[in-house]
Every structure is written in structure tokens, then in C-alpha cells.
Amino acid sequence: MKWTKFRLRTKVEAEDIIAGALLDIGIEGVEIEDQVPLSSLEKEQLFVDILPEVQVDVGEAYLSFYVEEGVDVDLTLKRVKKALAEVSKCMDIGAGTIEISQTEDIDWMNNWKQYFHSFYIDDILIIPSWEEVQAKDKDRMIIHIDPGTAFGTGMHETTQLCIRQLKKYVAQGQRVLDVGCGSGILGMLALKYGADFCVGTDLDPCAMDATHENMRENGINKNQYQVWVGNIINEKTVQNQVSAFTYDMAFSNILADVLVQLAPEVVKYLNVGGVYITGGILKEKEEMVKEVLVDCGFAILEITEQGEWVSITGQKK
């Protein structure tokens, strides 16, 4: 489907007021671009692999929205200009210019691929399905990843922290549990390093398709890796599926506030001595997660850092 994109140039201090004015005339789903530094909470909520480039904040902002093919573009433009004129009576909206362009769904689905290329995490090569392994990398540990819309290319600092911890503690023949498996990257690496079997869970249905596709790319069959969609914290069906086994290792690369809720559940499925690797923790939330893990019966083995992020590894007493 083709869409018409409207892009409004304004000032940061006017962006929320203009977004509200657009909502009043029936325009929802406004995209805001500015260079205002992210807060700690926003960084945690962003939690994406391919981070946006940050430029100097000069006080400018752009608001974009899309209308479907067949919508009267001239009428929409007239209504938007009227809304901007009303806002400009009470505040400075800056340039107030409007750009109009055409786009298609296929652009949104594929354009992100230009930003994801093969890269290394220590001795591991992470490579997307649309690139070829070079001769110089043939002897490396290789993971083929095409995340689709699921989280987990391995580029995010939190994923790299978890990968390094996984390499330290995984052992031959283990059963592992990945809560929030995303693209399946952690579970597949555990299997590559000798684990015998993995169960992954995720709230996002896209994670199941992404993980199954990546399993095929990496020669991992469904007898080695089961994936379930749902919330292990409160969905009985998922809990029953996971509890069919006990595990020697678990990992959750999610967010600190979710880890706090997960810890009492994950500990039930781990064998005594089982290792739990957590990621997605901003430094200021380290103590909060650490205290909950200890209260749930984990001895803290290690706390590692990369950038603003922390991974805490515990062992079930």
C-alpha cells in the first residue's frame, strides 16, 4: 500500500502542543524526531539493537504522520495548516513548514537492513542472512541472524554482556531456559557451545517465527529448541510448558522492572546450582535487581558492565 507522509518542521517546545492539535483534527500516531538527550527511563524503554545516531540538540523538531492512499491530501494539508496557525497564535512554532512525500509498506519492512551488517563479539561472528561468510572467518563461531521484527541482533550492549556470561558458564549437556528469547540468539549460542536443549519464551508472537527461521539458518532442529509465546509470570499454559523440564541455566535479557517480577518464577525451574544470567539493567537499577535475586535464593556470582548497562549472574543455592 502507498502512503502520503507529512513532515512538519517546528521547535522542541512546540512539539507536544502541535501533536495535540493534530489529534484534535483526527490525526493519530504522530512520529516525533528531535535531538533532545534521552533520559535513563527512555533509554531503558528504547532497548533496541540498532541505536539512532545522536546529533547536537539545536532546538528543532520534526513531526511526521502518514495518510492512506485515497485520502484527500489537499484537504488534509489545509486542515494541518489551519491547526498550525492556531498554535502559532500562542507560541513560537519555528519554521512551521510542511514536506509531503510518498512511501510504501515495503520501505518500512526492509530499510532497516541497510544498518545491520556482520560484526564480532570477541571470537563470535554475528552475520545476517543476506551476507556471506568470508574465508577468514570460517574457523570462528558463527551465528546467522535475521531478527525480522523480534529483538536480538547481538548489537545491543545488554545482549553482548549476556553472551559473554553465557560463554563462561554454559557446559556440555545442559538444559537452558531463555525468558524473552527474541530472535533466539542466546539459546542458539548456548546450543552451539554444548548445551543439549533449550526452551525459549517471549511475549511477542514475532519471536517464534524469528527464532524458528534463525534455527534453520544455523542448523538447529526443533528437537533441540522449543519456543512458546506467552507470559511466564502469570500464564498457566506457558508455565506448564516450561515446567516440563528443569534447567541448569537460564537467561533473561529484558528490563530491570520485569526481572524483578521474573526472579521468583525463574528460580522454580532451575536445578540447585543452576546459573541465572540477567541483562537489560541500567546501572542505577543494579541494586534493585541484585536485592531481589538474593531474596529469591540466588548467590551473586558476578556483576559485569558495558556502557550504561549491567548484567548480574546468580546461582541458585
Side-chain angles (χ1 to χ4, degrees):
M1 179 185 292
K2 291 183 179 180
W3 301 75
T4 300
K5 177 180 179 179
F6 290 74
R7 190 168 187 252
L8 287 60
R9 183 181 176 187
T10 184
K11 289 191 169 185
V12 169
E13 55 265 31
E15 59 187 28
D16 290 335
I17 302 299
I18 292 175
L22 294 175
L23 184 61
D24 288 342
I25 62 172
I27 295 170
E28 302 177 2
V30 176
E31 172 187 293
I32 298 177
E33 305 168 64
D34 59 38
Q35 302 304 327
V36 177
L38 297 175
S39 66
S40 294
L41 177 60
E42 288 168 331
K43 288 176 183 175
E44 184 180 38
Q45 291 173 334
L46 186 63
F47 203 52
V48 296
D49 288 349
I50 304 172
L51 298 172
E53 294 183 7
V54 179
Q55 300 174 1
V56 176
D57 179 21
V58 294
E60 280 194 339
Y62 290 88
L63 277 67
S64 300
F65 64 90
Y66 301 83
V67 297
E68 295 178 84
E69 191 174 19
V71 173
D72 189 326
V73 173
D74 291 335
L75 178 59
T76 301
L77 179 61
K78 183 178 179 180
R79 295 174 67 203
V80 170
K81 284 183 175 180
K82 183 178 179 181
L84 288 178
E86 289 297 317
V87 175
S88 68
K89 291 177 182 178
C90 59
M91 69 185 307
D92 183 5
I93 67 168
T97 55
I98 305 171
E99 299 174 12
I100 299 177
S101 59
Q102 299 291 320
T103 187
E104 295 187 49
D105 291 345
I106 190 170
D107 297 331
W108 299 342
M109 295 300 293
N110 293 315
N111 282 352
W112 68 272
K113 292 182 178 181
Q114 67 184 295
Y115 303 106
F116 180 36
H117 303 287
S118 58
F119 65 100
Y120 303 103
I121 303 175
D122 304 330
D123 60 339
I124 303 169
L125 173 66
I126 309 292
I127 185 167
S129 60
W130 53 89
E131 291 188 10
E132 294 290 331
V133 177
Q134 303 297 310
K136 64 184 177 64
D137 294 319
K138 294 292 186 182
D139 295 330
R140 288 181 180 271
M141 170 68 73
I142 298 171
I143 290 289
H144 299 272
I145 284 289
D146 184 355
T149 56
F151 175 82
T153 62
M155 294 180 73
H156 199 286
E157 292 167 321
T158 63
T159 311
Q160 295 180 22
L161 283 167
C162 289
I163 286 172
R164 292 188 175 103
Q165 293 304 99
L166 182 157
K167 285 172 59 182
K168 289 180 187 178
Y169 293 101
V170 72
Q172 292 288 328
Q174 287 184 334
R175 284 196 297 262
V176 300
L177 172 64
D178 186 357
V179 181
C181 62
S183 67
I185 186 171
L186 295 177
M188 291 189 300
L189 270 170
L191 294 169
K192 292 278 189 179
Y193 277 108
D196 188 57
F197 178 71
C198 178
V199 170
T201 72
D202 204 289
L203 299 179
D204 185 359
C206 295
M208 178 177 285
D209 293 337
T211 299
H212 285 161
E213 178 60 32
N214 289 324
M215 287 164 56
R216 286 190 289 272
E217 290 287 336
N218 289 279
I220 294 170
N221 64 55
K222 292 184 179 180
N223 293 327
Q224 295 175 278
Y225 197 155
Q226 292 182 3
V227 188
W228 304 104
V229 176
N231 192 338
I232 196 174
I233 295 172
N234 55 23
E235 290 186 26
K236 196 67 178 175
T237 301
V238 179
Q239 292 171 346
N240 289 340
Q241 290 160 339
V242 170
S243 65
F245 310 95
T246 56
Y247 304 89
D248 306 294
M249 175 182 287
F251 18 85
S252 302
N253 183 30
I254 307 183
L255 293 171
D257 293 336
V258 180
L259 291 171
V260 167
Q261 301 175 61
L262 274 178
E265 189 65 30
V266 171
V267 72
K268 299 176 187 177
Y269 307 113
L270 278 172
N271 296 318
V272 174
V275 171
Y276 185 29
I277 298 168
T278 64
I281 308 163
L282 284 167
K283 287 181 181 178
E284 54 261 40
K285 295 194 175 182
E286 174 186 326
E287 284 302 315
M288 177 183 75
V289 177
K290 180 181 172 182
E291 288 176 10
V292 169
L293 290 174
V294 171
D295 289 344
C296 290
F298 290 99
I300 305 302
L301 296 178
E302 221 174 339
I303 298 175
T304 55
E305 299 180 3
Q306 186 172 339
E308 297 178 275
W309 300 91
V310 171
S311 171
I312 302 176
T313 302
Q315 186 172 38
K316 182 175 177 178
K317 296 178 182 178

